[in-house]
Amino acid sequence: MRLFLTRTAALGALTLLAACGDGGGTTPTRLTAAQVAGIYQVCELRFSPANTILPTADLLTSTADTTPPLNRPKFTVALSQSGEFDLVYTRASDAFLQQARGSVSYGEQHVSISLPSNSAIALELLLPRPLNLRFTGTGGNRLTADVSDNLQYPVNRGDYARAAGVSDEGLQPTINGRLTARLAVNGCS
């Protein structure tokens, strides 16, 4: 009789756990493509080296043209309802249009933008792969990456030196650092 009660209690507990593990109770809600979709203007994009003696690379002033000619787009990231993104900017050095496309995955409060592994744009903008951004939907949709949110990641010293406006002489082959980014749907104010 005692063995029967123990088995019955164990089966009851397993049934309860199974019911909770399938979306019931405490399972967090993930963001959806419809919640996050929109055209986000890039308001801030900086790479801060872990070695604080090295300068921060402000990628909006060194890489992207923040006031492109009328026939060229501003620096934006469009997130579609189909779970894809389109990153577009005008390169500051030559006014050429730059564009990258890829997929977006959704977490509880974050979106993750996956850039192609061979992306020259990811190298030029010193972006991690994937790029994780925190979503805020109050007061207009916003995406942010802060140095406190992101783990350090390496970038090529030549790419860093170009973006930071310094010589790559004497630098390590890779520079570890973190990204600060701010994107907004309703402008950068």
Side-chain angles (χ1 to χ4, degrees):
M1 178 74 172
R2 184 175 170 178
L3 181 60
F4 176 74
L5 287 175
T6 306
R7 265 193 196 152
T8 304
L11 286 174
L14 287 174
T15 303
L16 182 61
L17 284 173
C20 289
D22 198 27
T26 60
T27 302
T29 304
R30 298 177 75 79
L31 292 169
T32 65
Q35 284 176 292
V36 179
I39 298 174
Y40 292 79
Q41 184 176 347
V42 179
C43 305
E44 179 181 9
L45 189 63
R46 298 175 193 270
F47 178 81
S48 301
N51 182 345
T52 57
I53 203 163
L54 297 173
T56 294
D58 183 346
L59 298 152
L60 280 183
T61 59
S62 67
T63 305
D65 188 345
T66 57
T67 56
L70 291 176
N71 61 342
R72 295 290 181 181
K74 288 190 173 189
F75 197 170
T76 58
V77 177
L79 301 178
S80 73
Q81 289 196 22
S82 65
E84 297 176 333
F85 77 90
D86 190 18
L87 180 149
V88 177
Y89 65 98
T90 301
R91 186 185 289 147
S93 64
D94 56 18
F96 285 172
L97 179 66
Q98 301 299 306
Q99 185 172 16
R101 290 188 171 135
S103 62
V104 179
S105 57
Y106 304 92
E108 291 174 50
Q109 298 174 351
H110 287 78
V111 296
S112 182
I113 295 174
S114 296
L115 294 154
S117 61
N118 59 350
S119 172
I121 290 173
L123 295 175
E124 182 174 68
L125 295 174
L126 309 180
L127 297 177
R129 287 180 293 255
L131 171 58
N132 295 312
L133 299 164
R134 187 176 343 119
F135 175 76
T136 306
T138 56
N141 290 357
R142 296 191 182 286
L143 295 170
T144 56
D146 192 297
V147 290
S148 62
D149 293 340
N150 293 304
L151 299 174
Q152 290 185 17
Y153 61 95
V155 298
N156 177 288
R157 77 175 178 192
D159 294 328
Y160 162 76
R162 178 202 34 77
V166 298
S167 169
D168 68 353
E169 187 176 330
L171 294 177
Q172 297 292 323
T174 58
I175 305 297
N176 288 320
R178 298 173 191 220
L179 187 75
T180 302
R182 187 169 50 90
L183 295 80
V185 168
N186 295 326
C188 292
S189 54

